[in-house]
Amino acid sequence: MVNRNPADLPMRVKLPEPGISGNRIEELLAKRRSVRRYAERDLSETVISRFLWAAQGISSKEGLRTSPSAGALYPLEIHAVIGEGNGFEPGIYRYIAEEHTLTQEIPGDMRERLSRAALSQPMVRQAPVSLIISAVYPRITSKYGKRGIRYADMEAGHAAQNVYLLGVELGIGTCAVGAFDDEEVKKVLKLPANEEPLYILPLGYI
């Protein structure tokens, strides 16, 4: 419906209401919120697997992934900081998308150290699992120059939204954390010099 306004006002067009009821993706979008407090309940191996796949999993025979990437160059890395329980030995793991596997890089429960690196935000310490999205910028700047940094950051947002929406589906909350000391997070994860942390996504049942 088009409402005609006086000549000195811009034209307004009333849009159809979004089809939230009965449309699953719209329902998930409508319910998406940041959650900062979690129940004392572990996440299963299956649940952790689903979140990793949602963030950067392979979704086609050609090797394309669940998140769009400029030039299909995939500069992102996903790390999982896993506490006691949760079906894994506690530690810091790197997700290998091509194999859909986790490789433990650092043993032990590192949630307290990660929380301190994230300005002591309690949700990072309390969440049974946190995902860290990082970027290896040279993978994409080699083709796109400095603009590749923007493309990688945009891709991180795509991956984080995938995690949010799956969380709504599973009753698991997250909160995209960008307030942290980059160098301290790199020390906790022992990241190589060319890999930069972008997001911390704590995960826990609501």
Side-chain angles (χ1 to χ4, degrees):
M1 179 183 294
V2 177
N3 293 325
R4 298 295 180 183
N5 292 317
D8 60 337
L9 295 177
M11 183 177 67
R12 292 185 180 181
V13 179
K14 175 61 177 175
L15 297 172
E17 292 298 318
I20 294 174
S21 178
N23 292 285
R24 191 59 183 156
I25 188 63
E26 284 93 339
E27 289 180 4
L28 296 176
L29 288 167
K31 294 177 180 177
R32 187 221 58 78
R33 296 292 183 273
S34 291
V35 178
R36 295 172 174 82
R37 295 182 181 179
Y38 313 113
E40 293 185 5
R41 179 180 172 187
D42 293 341
L43 303 185
S44 70
E45 290 182 34
T46 298
V47 165
I48 295 170
S49 170
R50 291 180 69 180
F51 276 108
L52 291 165
W53 183 85
Q56 278 287 287
I58 303 296
S59 59
S60 79
K61 293 180 180 179
E62 297 76 25
L64 299 177
R65 301 189 185 183
T66 53
S67 299
S69 179
L73 295 174
Y74 304 113
L76 300 187
E77 293 285 335
I78 309 294
H79 303 264
V81 177
I82 300 176
E84 296 285 349
N86 305 296
F88 295 89
E89 290 294 323
I92 298 177
Y93 295 76
R94 184 183 293 266
Y95 179 55
I96 310 301
E98 294 81 2
E99 302 171 358
H100 192 60
T101 60
L102 278 177
T103 299
Q104 189 186 74
E105 297 193 322
I106 302 171
D109 190 339
M110 305 296 286
R111 291 176 297 171
E112 178 63 38
R113 283 194 62 192
L114 182 64
S115 175
R116 290 200 300 270
L119 313 184
S120 297
Q121 295 181 73
M123 58 188 167
V124 177
R125 180 178 64 254
Q126 294 165 359
V129 176
S130 284
L131 301 184
I132 292 87
I133 301 177
S134 58
V136 181
Y137 288 121
R139 289 181 191 166
I140 198 163
T141 55
S142 61
K143 179 174 181 178
Y144 295 111
K146 290 183 178 180
R147 197 166 188 84
I149 295 173
R150 179 183 298 185
Y151 294 158
D153 294 347
M154 290 164 59
E155 185 177 337
H158 305 325
Q161 180 75 338
N162 286 358
V163 170
Y164 263 99
L165 295 180
L166 179 60
V168 176
E169 177 73 19
L170 301 178
I172 293 171
T174 190
C175 179
V177 176
F180 52 79
D181 185 310
D182 292 21
E183 292 305 315
E184 288 303 314
V185 171
K186 291 183 73 168
K187 288 179 183 177
V188 173
L189 273 65
K190 296 184 179 179
L191 297 182
N194 68 347
E195 187 172 340
E196 299 297 331
L198 301 179
Y199 267 141
I200 300 174
L201 295 163
L203 299 170
Y205 280 98
I206 298 172

